[in-house]
Amino acid sequence: MDPVLDRYASRATPRYTSYPTAPHFQKDFAPDRYRAWLSSLDVAAPVSLYLHVPFCRQMCWYCGCNMKLASRYEPVAKYAQTLRDEISLTADALPARMSISHLHWGGGTPTALSPDDLETLMGDVRARWDFAPDAEIAIESDPRTLTPEMAQRIGYLGFTRASFGVQEFDMRVQKAINRVQPPAMVRASVEQLRAAGVSGINFDLIYGLPYQTVESLIETVKLSAAMRPDRVALFGYAHVPWMAKNQRMIPDGSLPGAEERAAQAGAAAEALLAQGYIAIGLDHFALPDDALAIAARKGQLRRNFQGYTTDQAETMIGMGATSIGRTPSGYVQNITETGAWSRAVKAGELPVSKGLPFVFDDRLRSDVIERLMCDGHVDAGAIGRTHGAPESWWADALGILDEMEADGLLTQSQGKVRMTQRGFPLVRIAASAFDAYLKDSTARHSVAV
Ligand code: SF4
């Protein structure tokens, strides 16, 4: 491994899917404050919706999500009913009927809903919002449990994109992560969705899994590319067993070390490029004519809680337990525990538990970090001027930036920062130079590579 990269690789750094990052959201955030934020939205601007379904039929040992096992449908049905009420409460808080540019169902496994419940919930959304003509309507799914009936219903309901956690096809790895899904099973799900009219398919792959090797990952890329997903996200497994107890099922000794992880990440990226994919940002790949690749070429890539996105909306309204939302006034997060979330909704409250009102500095630093994460370069001085910031407002970033420049990882001049090709895998560390919260943080983050 490159000894310079090695020196930085173990630094714990946020993923910067938001700034300020979620660990800095304030507890006991008042629902009325969120209600005021929603009521002051610009009705002419489109919004995104995120709907969270935390249920899964089986637990993957690598999972770091907030999920609940559901062996019976009853709790899922109750959850769906409460989500209907939250959709209604949230729409009531808006100043008028608004337009949706992106809608994303995430989890958990949203396709753990029955086809009828999914249709009812989508009907509720359509009853209270309009969809922009080119709106993206996306859902996360699981090849192990997606039924032909659900695939058809997803197409019928107008979904444009579906994503699958493929992770790795090697059977030893699949068994070690408790997620057995042979290539034929994944291919069948993809074909069912495409036949139902869902044109966009995303795969997630993971490196750094137990027993994984460079060879197994390259084979996974080849098998995946043969199914021609439009987008592939390649993430490093974050082993945080002190936070995710299920990860204790993965023996420490089965995990690849830092050098092997870096080799896997590099080999998988090369294999994806060889298969005709374009690298997007830090960890995404897309076919050249996919909207994400086009947005990247135009400098219009955005970053939000789902990672890199084409979504240009300034407001994302999250619904469902745990979901995070963003408005021009700040971030909010819903109550995590489904029982407490449900009780709040039944009491007629917007079920938020955490939030963070933006101060001037947050918006400025958020814009700079987002551009650096998306484009690999940023003009912090120019963005500062659009925010009315003092000249050289970014001077407090110079410590980290100077160090990285001396190591050949970036170039900088007067607030213009550009990652070098060698340094781009460490863009999160460069972004952290602009993070005003980090130096006081006690939150633990995954390592940078
Ligand atoms: S399907 Fe996804 S959310 Fe559910 S346990 Fe597996 S990784 Fe976690």
Side-chain angles (χ1 to χ4, degrees):
M1 186 177 181
D2 181 330
V4 173
L5 296 190
D6 192 28
R7 204 154 29 81
Y8 288 87
S10 59
R11 289 193 195 177
T13 318
R15 298 177 61 83
Y16 292 115
T17 53
S18 73
Y19 178 82
T21 55
H24 298 289
F25 295 180
Q26 300 158 0
K27 289 183 184 149
D28 301 323
F29 186 80
D32 283 349
R33 190 163 197 186
Y34 180 41
R35 189 178 291 279
W37 289 357
L38 289 178
S39 70
S40 64
L41 289 177
D42 174 4
V43 295
V47 297
S48 301
L49 297 193
Y50 173 80
L51 294 123
H52 190 77
V53 178
F55 297 97
C56 298
R57 302 258 177 82
Q58 195 177 344
M59 175 165 262
C60 311
W61 298 147
Y62 63 88
C63 181
C65 303
N66 174 53
M67 57 75 70
K68 288 173 89 74
L69 279 176
S71 48
R72 295 173 302 119
Y73 191 66
E74 193 191 347
V76 186
K78 276 192 181 163
Y79 184 92
Q81 189 56 47
T82 309
L83 197 50
R84 295 193 67 187
D85 294 340
E86 189 183 2
I87 289 169
S88 174
L89 270 174
T90 307
D92 285 347
L94 298 174
R97 192 178 170 89
M98 297 180 77
S99 174
I100 297 173
S101 56
H102 271 66
L103 180 146
H104 188 99
W105 284 89
T109 308
T111 50
L113 291 167
S114 70
D116 286 350
D117 278 341
L118 182 65
E119 182 165 349
T120 301
L121 285 155
M122 285 298 288
D124 290 346
V125 171
R126 287 187 186 277
R128 302 301 300 269
W129 279 270
D130 296 319
F131 277 90
D134 57 348
E136 178 167 293
I137 309 176
I139 190 162
E140 296 169 12
S141 187
D142 185 333
R144 296 170 301 169
T145 53
L146 181 71
T147 61
E149 185 194 0
M150 186 55 137
Q152 271 184 1
R153 197 72 65 95
I154 287 170
Y156 168 75
L157 292 172
F159 281 84
T160 59
R161 185 169 295 280
S163 52
F164 292 106
V166 169
Q167 324 311 8
E168 161 67 78
F169 278 125
D170 182 86
M171 193 48 66
R172 186 178 187 206
V173 178
Q174 290 198 350
K175 284 182 178 161
I177 60 176
N178 201 34
R179 187 180 179 113
V180 174
Q181 45 180 28
M185 182 189 278
V186 176
R187 192 178 308 110
S189 292
V190 169
E191 285 172 0
Q192 283 165 10
L193 284 166
R194 284 194 172 130
V198 180
S199 55
I201 298 290
N202 294 16
F203 280 5
D204 289 348
L205 304 182
I206 301 185
Y207 65 86
L209 288 170
Y211 307 114
Q212 203 171 22
T213 62
V214 165
E215 292 72 29
S216 72
L217 194 51
I218 289 175
E219 184 61 17
T220 295
V221 168
K222 284 185 186 160
L223 289 165
S224 298
M227 300 177 210
R228 233 49 199 152
D230 308 86
R231 298 178 190 172
V232 177
L234 174 67
F235 300 120
Y237 167 54
H239 193 56
V240 286
W242 60 89
M243 282 163 61
K245 289 199 177 105
N246 49 292
Q247 293 186 353
R248 293 177 195 168
M249 297 299 291
I250 296 178
D252 285 347
S254 66
L255 292 170
E259 194 163 335
E260 173 67 13
R261 281 174 65 95
Q264 289 176 7
E270 264 179 42
L272 283 160
L273 298 180
Q275 293 288 341
Y277 288 85
I278 307 283
I280 312 282
L282 195 54
D283 45 21
H284 282 45
F285 297 81
L287 292 174
D289 57 352
D290 180 85
L292 199 68
I294 294 167
R297 279 199 291 279
K298 291 181 175 171
Q300 293 172 348
L301 201 59
R302 300 295 305 269
R303 189 157 172 84
N304 66 18
F305 294 103
Q306 277 91 56
Y308 290 105
T309 174
T310 57
D311 185 5
Q312 304 294 319
E314 290 305 314
T315 297
M316 174 183 284
I317 297 173
M319 288 177 276
T322 321
S323 62
I324 297 180
R326 175 185 164 129
T327 76
S329 304
Y331 289 109
V332 288
Q333 181 165 23
N334 270 0
I335 298 168
T336 300
E337 203 271 309
T338 50
W341 164 79
S342 177
R343 284 191 292 282
V345 172
K346 297 288 178 211
E349 275 178 20
L350 292 169
V352 295
S353 65
K354 292 184 190 168
L356 190 76
F358 289 139
V359 296
F360 154 79
D361 193 54
D362 292 338
R363 289 201 192 89
L364 165 61
R365 289 173 186 271
S366 172
D367 283 356
V368 169
I369 287 173
E370 186 178 16
R371 289 323 329 142
L372 189 55
M373 292 292 297
C374 289
D375 303 334
H377 59 87
V378 70
D379 185 341
I383 293 180
R385 285 190 285 282
T386 67
H387 285 265
E391 278 303 309
S392 305
W393 68 269
W394 36 266
D396 62 358
L398 284 175
I400 293 174
L401 297 179
D402 287 348
E403 182 191 357
M404 295 185 79
E405 185 175 36
D407 283 325
L409 303 173
L410 56 80
T411 58
Q412 56 163 337
S413 168
Q414 300 297 312
K416 289 184 185 164
V417 179
R418 182 174 288 273
M419 305 306 297
T420 60
Q421 196 178 358
R422 181 183 178 211
F424 189 70
L426 299 172
V427 67
R428 286 162 60 184
I429 296 179
S432 76
F434 296 97
D435 185 339
Y437 292 73
L438 198 60
K439 56 182 178 298
D440 304 322
S441 172
T442 53
R444 298 173 80 174
H445 301 282
S446 57
V447 295
V449 172

